[in-house]
Amino acid sequence: MNAAELIWEKARAVFLLALLITSPALAQRKVTISGHITDNASGETLIGAGILERESGVGAVTNNFGYYTLTLPAGEYDFHYSYVGYSESVLHINMHQDTVVNVALMAGETLSSSHIVARKDAGIQSTYLGAIDIPAAQIKNTPVLFGEADVLKVLQMMPGVQGGNEGFSGIYVRGGGPDENLIMLDGVPIYNVDHMLGIFSVFQPEAVKKVTLYKGSFPARYGGRVSSIVDIRTNDGNMKENHGTVSIGLISDKLHLEGPIIKDKLAYSVSARGMHTLLYAPVIKLALNDAYGNYYFYDLNGKLTWRLSDRDRFYFGAYHGRDHFVYWEDDESEGTSTIGKETSHYKYKDRTDVGVFWGNTVGSARWNHVFNSKLFANTTVSYNRYRMVMNAGSAETEIVDGVKSTNRYHLNYHSGIRDFGIRTDMDYTPSPRHLVKFGSEYIWHTFIPERMSAVDKEVTGGEVQVDTTFHFADPKKRYGGHELSFYAEDDFNIGEHITVNPGVHLSMFNTEGRTYWSLQPRVSAKYSTGSGLSFKAGYARMAQYVHLLSSAQISLPVDLWVPITKDIRPVTSDQYSIGTYYDGVKGWEFSVEGYLKNMRNILEYKDGTLMLGTSDGWENRVEMGEGTAKGIEFLIQKTAGNTTGWLAYTLAKSDRIFPDGSINNGERFPYKYDRRHSIDLSLDHRFNEKWGIDATWSFATGGTTTVPVRQVAVMTPYGYITDAQYVDHRNNFRIPPSHRLNIGCSLHNERRWGESVWNFSVYNAYNRMNPNFVFTDYGPDYDKNGNYIGTSLKMKKITILPLLPSVSWTLNF
């Protein structure tokens, strides 16, 4: 071998050696695929859609804005994109560098959620316990009162969630109160969520894309309440073509419009709902000569979505809703009066009027920015106002022998809360095994518990006799609050079977010169066997800085939101949860969860205290105590096929104790919404493309209330003997159980102008006379022969929601 050949062989050997050394490094070079997953027909982003590389079993799920990211070694892959109710899409991609791939899925054969194997925020595959996703279609297909699909009434049918009074839309989660639920509309907290005193919620189903309920091991990104988080996301708007929905029902009419302003760039979504009496006001005025009364509500939703680029997207949203009640009455008389020998002619006119309106106004601007394939950011600026105003007055005019006298009295009362907020959320995905979320939020609260004033003016013969203005509450009275929070969490895999999500939420609330800090650790862990069976455990601490003052069992406009003070400390809770889950049968999901929740600094009104429409001295009318809630929840869901639905059962107990003896002599007593058993069954069957039937059945043991057990004679400090009612302990009476069957039937017809849908439904189909309200009253007692023997205190009920049929018509175009 000559010198040249020797040099060549050495060079070749060095090259091969270098190749062998560097090839593993090249093979391990990581690249990232990212993008958005949307609906092919509308361009609407899909929340919770999955991407899966099946050979390695590595996948990802889109966030609340339809964005996904997945990091893998460089190479060739088949990526499977999927979403419930959509046909799967498979893309073969040669990955040698970071790549942006936006995918549009087509609606098609129903995909069971168990087929999507990736990291999710809610459901069985999520690391969190007590997290449930509720799609918009499920809300629309659940029969409820007057055919009005309702977000909160569907939530009431989930395990661990119950309504307050029968037929009303309030939610009480795992032994908590109505003010312990953080309900958010596109990430913005909303305070008043009821219409018609709680019979309907303010959320219009046509505007809703998805609802997620958290009631167990809360993600670290949420805070501010101790019982549940309800995250409601609205439609972005159709990016492809204009569509709409018109619906006419027995209670309200609805309109929804969406479409592109600039195709694939800028879209709008607008929804409106109003009660019929809003339009019938002139007819009512004509029908009632000397009096007029009317009640109505309406909701307006609007959203603009601007896709500036693959890296930047902007969202502008607004909501405005209001309940309005008005009543007036006229009284007129004319004649003569004779006193002695003098006769006078008089003319009298009096008008009494009352007007009350209350509601929310919410606005938000949101910016999504993709810094790189692994880092996603969402920044939101928001405004939120709840306001209640009541005006009442009377105007009397009297003319006696030509001398005119007027007397006018006007009362004004209003209360409310206003928030300005800014929030930033970051998603960082360093590898498929880690999903890191971190961010911060600041909210400036302004509470106006109440302002009340009255004007009394009397004029006789042109001369002012009385002109006085009264202020029953300080017109400048308001409470301020500054709330600041930071959070971080990491959802990561340990091996092939274990997923852990540790996190921490740090919050601060400043009010009345005092600052409260709260460090809230959160952790969830999941072990999957690989055959559809998984086990979870979790712990979460939560803190709450606001309270709702109310003595009624239903939502009233005079309920008042107030912040904690220098003397009233934040409510805190520690919740421990465990659960077992199984989705190994195609189209079915099974779960059982148990929880224990300990609460501190919870508020109860002192014995004999009524809090109705006034916050004056409210701190002196309440006591801080402790509470415990525990239970076990079972859920069976059928998620695929012509018949879908769920069966939920909850066994629960919730009580309160005030160790200082200030309430109930320091003894433990049941919470007023403590219900031992609840069962909820929901079925939805599609016979064909035209006909479908839906049914729900609910059973719940009654809550509790306080009633006197007997009447006794007592001596007053002034020496008088009088009758009084004796109560042995708080919440000593359990209301009878309630149960109800709702049935609905829908008929779909394709017309030239769109799809026509008729819906026929029956609420409380077998006319169960459930107690909507209970009270005590004295009634007669009779002996066995029917002879009257006296009176005694009796429990009575009022039923306002018997069997109620309804029909509605919807046109989708």
Side-chain angles (χ1 to χ4, degrees), residues 706-732:
T706 303
V707 300
V709 295
R710 60 180 178 269
Q711 186 167 289
V712 296
V714 298
M715 179 175 290
T716 69
Y718 302 100
Y720 300 105
I721 297 178
T722 184
D723 293 334
Q725 296 176 347
Y726 172 73
V727 176
D728 55 350
H729 62 88
R730 181 168 290 203
N731 296 340
N732 58 354

mmCIF file of all heavy atoms in Angstrom, residues 706-732:
data_model
loop_
_atom_site.group_PDB
_atom_site.id
_atom_site.type_symbol
_atom_site.label_atom_id
_atom_site.label_comp_id
_atom_site.label_asym_id
_atom_site.label_seq_id
_atom_site.Cartn_x
_atom_site.Cartn_y
_atom_site.Cartn_z
ATOM 1 N N THR A 706 -84.310 25.822 60.097
ATOM 2 C CA THR A 706 -84.536 25.980 61.542
ATOM 3 C C THR A 706 -86.001 26.303 61.801
ATOM 4 O O THR A 706 -86.542 27.263 61.236
ATOM 5 C CB THR A 706 -83.655 27.108 62.099
ATOM 6 O OG1 THR A 706 -82.285 26.829 61.820
ATOM 7 C CG2 THR A 706 -83.842 27.243 63.602
ATOM 8 N N VAL A 707 -86.654 25.500 62.644
ATOM 9 C CA VAL A 707 -88.059 25.725 62.979
ATOM 10 C C VAL A 707 -88.220 25.633 64.494
ATOM 11 O O VAL A 707 -87.488 24.896 65.167
ATOM 12 C CB VAL A 707 -88.980 24.687 62.295
ATOM 13 C CG1 VAL A 707 -88.863 24.764 60.788
ATOM 14 C CG2 VAL A 707 -88.663 23.276 62.765
ATOM 15 N N PRO A 708 -89.140 26.384 65.048
ATOM 16 C CA PRO A 708 -89.408 26.263 66.490
ATOM 17 C C PRO A 708 -90.088 24.930 66.788
ATOM 18 O O PRO A 708 -90.888 24.428 65.997
ATOM 19 C CB PRO A 708 -90.335 27.452 66.768
ATOM 20 C CG PRO A 708 -90.949 27.782 65.445
ATOM 21 C CD PRO A 708 -89.938 27.435 64.397
ATOM 22 N N VAL A 709 -89.764 24.355 67.926
ATOM 23 C CA VAL A 709 -90.341 23.053 68.286
ATOM 24 C C VAL A 709 -91.580 23.198 69.157
ATOM 25 O O VAL A 709 -92.398 22.280 69.241
ATOM 26 C CB VAL A 709 -89.289 22.174 68.987
ATOM 27 C CG1 VAL A 709 -88.169 21.830 68.032
ATOM 28 C CG2 VAL A 709 -88.733 22.871 70.233
ATOM 29 N N ARG A 710 -91.724 24.337 69.833
ATOM 30 C CA ARG A 710 -92.922 24.556 70.635
ATOM 31 C C ARG A 710 -93.014 26.039 71.002
ATOM 32 O O ARG A 710 -92.073 26.799 70.825
ATOM 33 C CB ARG A 710 -92.910 23.696 71.893
ATOM 34 C CG ARG A 710 -91.754 23.943 72.825
ATOM 35 C CD ARG A 710 -91.840 23.019 74.054
ATOM 36 N NE ARG A 710 -90.700 23.197 74.943
ATOM 37 C CZ ARG A 710 -89.582 22.500 74.855
ATOM 38 N NH1 ARG A 710 -89.458 21.589 73.894
ATOM 39 N NH2 ARG A 710 -88.586 22.714 75.702
ATOM 40 N N GLN A 711 -94.158 26.388 71.539
ATOM 41 C CA GLN A 711 -94.400 27.759 71.983
ATOM 42 C C GLN A 711 -94.341 27.801 73.501
ATOM 43 O O GLN A 711 -94.903 26.942 74.177
ATOM 44 C CB GLN A 711 -95.763 28.237 71.483
ATOM 45 C CG GLN A 711 -96.042 29.702 71.775
ATOM 46 C CD GLN A 711 -97.234 30.208 71.005
ATOM 47 O OE1 GLN A 711 -97.162 30.370 69.798
ATOM 48 N NE2 GLN A 711 -98.343 30.427 71.704
ATOM 49 N N VAL A 712 -93.625 28.794 74.016
ATOM 50 C CA VAL A 712 -93.457 28.903 75.460
ATOM 51 C C VAL A 712 -93.849 30.307 75.912
ATOM 52 O O VAL A 712 -93.946 31.234 75.104
ATOM 53 C CB VAL A 712 -91.997 28.599 75.865
ATOM 54 C CG1 VAL A 712 -91.630 27.168 75.535
ATOM 55 C CG2 VAL A 712 -91.033 29.568 75.199
ATOM 56 N N ALA A 713 -94.055 30.442 77.206
ATOM 57 C CA ALA A 713 -94.358 31.740 77.811
ATOM 58 C C ALA A 713 -93.093 32.284 78.460
ATOM 59 O O ALA A 713 -92.408 31.570 79.201
ATOM 60 C CB ALA A 713 -95.468 31.610 78.843
ATOM 61 N N VAL A 714 -92.793 33.526 78.170
ATOM 62 C CA VAL A 714 -91.602 34.157 78.740
ATOM 63 C C VAL A 714 -91.997 35.492 79.352
ATOM 64 O O VAL A 714 -92.980 36.113 78.960
ATOM 65 C CB VAL A 714 -90.517 34.361 77.667
ATOM 66 C CG1 VAL A 714 -90.054 33.039 77.092
ATOM 67 C CG2 VAL A 714 -91.009 35.274 76.539
ATOM 68 N N MET A 715 -91.197 35.912 80.319
ATOM 69 C CA MET A 715 -91.436 37.206 80.969
ATOM 70 C C MET A 715 -90.430 38.207 80.432
ATOM 71 O O MET A 715 -89.228 37.949 80.406
ATOM 72 C CB MET A 715 -91.307 37.094 82.481
ATOM 73 C CG MET A 715 -91.534 38.420 83.213
ATOM 74 S SD MET A 715 -91.522 38.254 85.013
ATOM 75 C CE MET A 715 -93.070 37.366 85.267
ATOM 76 N N THR A 716 -90.936 39.355 79.966
ATOM 77 C CA THR A 716 -90.077 40.389 79.421
ATOM 78 C C THR A 716 -89.410 41.164 80.551
ATOM 79 O O THR A 716 -89.829 41.071 81.721
ATOM 80 C CB THR A 716 -90.901 41.352 78.548
ATOM 81 O OG1 THR A 716 -91.768 42.110 79.401
ATOM 82 C CG2 THR A 716 -91.708 40.598 77.517
ATOM 83 N N PRO A 717 -88.355 41.953 80.226
ATOM 84 C CA PRO A 717 -87.716 42.777 81.279
ATOM 85 C C PRO A 717 -88.659 43.778 81.920
ATOM 86 O O PRO A 717 -88.374 44.310 82.999
ATOM 87 C CB PRO A 717 -86.594 43.483 80.513
ATOM 88 C CG PRO A 717 -86.309 42.595 79.349
ATOM 89 C CD PRO A 717 -87.626 42.005 78.957
ATOM 90 N N TYR A 718 -89.808 44.039 81.245
ATOM 91 C CA TYR A 718 -90.760 45.012 81.793
ATOM 92 C C TYR A 718 -91.843 44.349 82.630
ATOM 93 O O TYR A 718 -92.795 44.998 83.060
ATOM 94 C CB TYR A 718 -91.400 45.786 80.643
ATOM 95 C CG TYR A 718 -90.390 46.495 79.789
ATOM 96 C CD1 TYR A 718 -89.988 45.948 78.567
ATOM 97 C CD2 TYR A 718 -89.813 47.689 80.196
ATOM 98 C CE1 TYR A 718 -89.049 46.581 77.773
ATOM 99 C CE2 TYR A 718 -88.868 48.334 79.405
ATOM 100 C CZ TYR A 718 -88.489 47.780 78.194
ATOM 101 O OH TYR A 718 -87.560 48.408 77.423
ATOM 102 N N GLY A 719 -91.710 43.014 82.852
ATOM 103 C CA GLY A 719 -92.659 42.327 83.717
ATOM 104 C C GLY A 719 -93.846 41.746 83.001
ATOM 105 O O GLY A 719 -94.749 41.188 83.651
ATOM 106 N N TYR A 720 -93.920 41.851 81.693
ATOM 107 C CA TYR A 720 -95.035 41.277 80.947
ATOM 108 C C TYR A 720 -94.738 39.830 80.580
ATOM 109 O O TYR A 720 -93.591 39.456 80.330
ATOM 110 C CB TYR A 720 -95.324 42.070 79.681
ATOM 111 C CG TYR A 720 -95.684 43.511 79.934
ATOM 112 C CD1 TYR A 720 -94.764 44.537 79.675
ATOM 113 C CD2 TYR A 720 -96.946 43.857 80.422
ATOM 114 C CE1 TYR A 720 -95.084 45.858 79.903
ATOM 115 C CE2 TYR A 720 -97.280 45.180 80.654
ATOM 116 C CZ TYR A 720 -96.346 46.179 80.391
ATOM 117 O OH TYR A 720 -96.673 47.494 80.613
ATOM 118 N N ILE A 721 -95.769 39.024 80.494
ATOM 119 C CA ILE A 721 -95.651 37.640 80.028
ATOM 120 C C ILE A 721 -96.160 37.573 78.593
ATOM 121 O O ILE A 721 -97.280 38.007 78.301
ATOM 122 C CB ILE A 721 -96.441 36.684 80.935
ATOM 123 C CG1 ILE A 721 -95.854 36.693 82.353
ATOM 124 C CG2 ILE A 721 -96.425 35.258 80.361
ATOM 125 C CD1 ILE A 721 -96.603 35.803 83.317
ATOM 126 N N THR A 722 -95.361 37.016 77.732
ATOM 127 C CA THR A 722 -95.730 36.929 76.324
ATOM 128 C C THR A 722 -95.337 35.574 75.767
ATOM 129 O O THR A 722 -94.549 34.834 76.381
ATOM 130 C CB THR A 722 -95.041 38.043 75.503
ATOM 131 O OG1 THR A 722 -95.497 37.983 74.157
ATOM 132 C CG2 THR A 722 -93.528 37.873 75.523
ATOM 133 N N ASP A 723 -95.920 35.231 74.611
ATOM 134 C CA ASP A 723 -95.605 33.963 73.956
ATOM 135 C C ASP A 723 -94.348 34.104 73.117
ATOM 136 O O ASP A 723 -94.082 35.156 72.523
ATOM 137 C CB ASP A 723 -96.766 33.521 73.059
ATOM 138 C CG ASP A 723 -98.002 33.154 73.872
ATOM 139 O OD1 ASP A 723 -97.820 32.764 75.040
ATOM 140 O OD2 ASP A 723 -99.129 33.258 73.341
ATOM 141 N N ALA A 724 -93.543 33.054 73.071
ATOM 142 C CA ALA A 724 -92.334 33.029 72.248
ATOM 143 C C ALA A 724 -92.146 31.625 71.695
ATOM 144 O O ALA A 724 -92.657 30.648 72.253
ATOM 145 C CB ALA A 724 -91.111 33.451 73.064
ATOM 146 N N GLN A 725 -91.417 31.552 70.599
ATOM 147 C CA GLN A 725 -91.144 30.263 69.961
ATOM 148 C C GLN A 725 -89.788 29.748 70.422
ATOM 149 O O GLN A 725 -88.796 30.480 70.406
ATOM 150 C CB GLN A 725 -91.180 30.408 68.434
ATOM 151 C CG GLN A 725 -92.563 30.797 67.913
ATOM 152 C CD GLN A 725 -92.568 31.031 66.409
ATOM 153 O OE1 GLN A 725 -91.522 31.144 65.781
ATOM 154 N NE2 GLN A 725 -93.756 31.097 65.831
ATOM 155 N N TYR A 726 -89.756 28.480 70.801
ATOM 156 C CA TYR A 726 -88.538 27.881 71.325
ATOM 157 C C TYR A 726 -87.872 27.041 70.237
ATOM 158 O O TYR A 726 -88.503 26.180 69.611
ATOM 159 C CB TYR A 726 -88.849 27.010 72.537
ATOM 160 C CG TYR A 726 -87.655 26.213 73.017
ATOM 161 C CD1 TYR A 726 -86.603 26.833 73.684
ATOM 162 C CD2 TYR A 726 -87.576 24.838 72.779
ATOM 163 C CE1 TYR A 726 -85.503 26.107 74.120
ATOM 164 C CE2 TYR A 726 -86.480 24.104 73.216
ATOM 165 C CZ TYR A 726 -85.443 24.746 73.872
ATOM 166 O OH TYR A 726 -84.361 24.027 74.290
ATOM 167 N N VAL A 727 -86.576 27.290 70.017
ATOM 168 C CA VAL A 727 -85.779 26.545 69.047
ATOM 169 C C VAL A 727 -84.692 25.814 69.817
ATOM 170 O O VAL A 727 -83.909 26.440 70.545
ATOM 171 C CB VAL A 727 -85.153 27.481 67.995
ATOM 172 C CG1 VAL A 727 -84.245 26.697 67.060
ATOM 173 C CG2 VAL A 727 -86.240 28.200 67.209
ATOM 174 N N ASP A 728 -84.631 24.488 69.665
ATOM 175 C CA ASP A 728 -83.658 23.726 70.442
ATOM 176 C C ASP A 728 -82.259 23.802 69.831
ATOM 177 O O ASP A 728 -81.267 23.870 70.552
ATOM 178 C CB ASP A 728 -84.101 22.274 70.590
ATOM 179 C CG ASP A 728 -84.385 21.600 69.262
ATOM 180 O OD1 ASP A 728 -84.422 22.311 68.230
ATOM 181 O OD2 ASP A 728 -84.567 20.360 69.249
ATOM 182 N N HIS A 729 -82.134 23.787 68.490
ATOM 183 C CA HIS A 729 -80.819 23.970 67.867
ATOM 184 C C HIS A 729 -81.005 24.365 66.407
ATOM 185 O O HIS A 729 -82.086 24.206 65.827
ATOM 186 C CB HIS A 729 -79.952 22.708 67.998
ATOM 187 C CG HIS A 729 -80.524 21.496 67.314
ATOM 188 N ND1 HIS A 729 -80.291 21.201 65.996
ATOM 189 C CD2 HIS A 729 -81.306 20.505 67.798
ATOM 190 C CE1 HIS A 729 -80.908 20.068 65.690
ATOM 191 N NE2 HIS A 729 -81.536 19.628 66.761
ATOM 192 N N ARG A 730 -79.940 24.883 65.827
ATOM 193 C CA ARG A 730 -79.998 25.399 64.458
ATOM 194 C C ARG A 730 -80.138 24.249 63.452
ATOM 195 O O ARG A 730 -79.576 23.175 63.624
ATOM 196 C CB ARG A 730 -78.748 26.218 64.154
ATOM 197 C CG ARG A 730 -78.733 26.814 62.750
ATOM 198 C CD ARG A 730 -77.650 27.845 62.570
ATOM 199 N NE ARG A 730 -77.923 29.068 63.324
ATOM 200 C CZ ARG A 730 -77.400 30.260 63.013
ATOM 201 N NH1 ARG A 730 -76.572 30.385 61.992
ATOM 202 N NH2 ARG A 730 -77.681 31.317 63.743
ATOM 203 N N ASN A 731 -80.914 24.528 62.377
ATOM 204 C CA ASN A 731 -81.151 23.561 61.297
ATOM 205 C C ASN A 731 -81.625 22.223 61.850
ATOM 206 O O ASN A 731 -81.068 21.159 61.572
ATOM 207 C CB ASN A 731 -79.881 23.378 60.457
ATOM 208 C CG ASN A 731 -79.478 24.658 59.742
ATOM 209 O OD1 ASN A 731 -80.294 25.555 59.561
ATOM 210 N ND2 ASN A 731 -78.231 24.747 59.348
ATOM 211 N N ASN A 732 -82.700 22.293 62.637
ATOM 212 C CA ASN A 732 -83.210 21.111 63.338
ATOM 213 C C ASN A 732 -84.288 20.364 62.565
ATOM 214 O O ASN A 732 -84.812 19.361 63.055
ATOM 215 C CB ASN A 732 -83.764 21.524 64.707
ATOM 216 C CG ASN A 732 -84.867 22.574 64.583
ATOM 217 O OD1 ASN A 732 -85.150 23.070 63.492
ATOM 218 N ND2 ASN A 732 -85.468 22.928 65.701
#
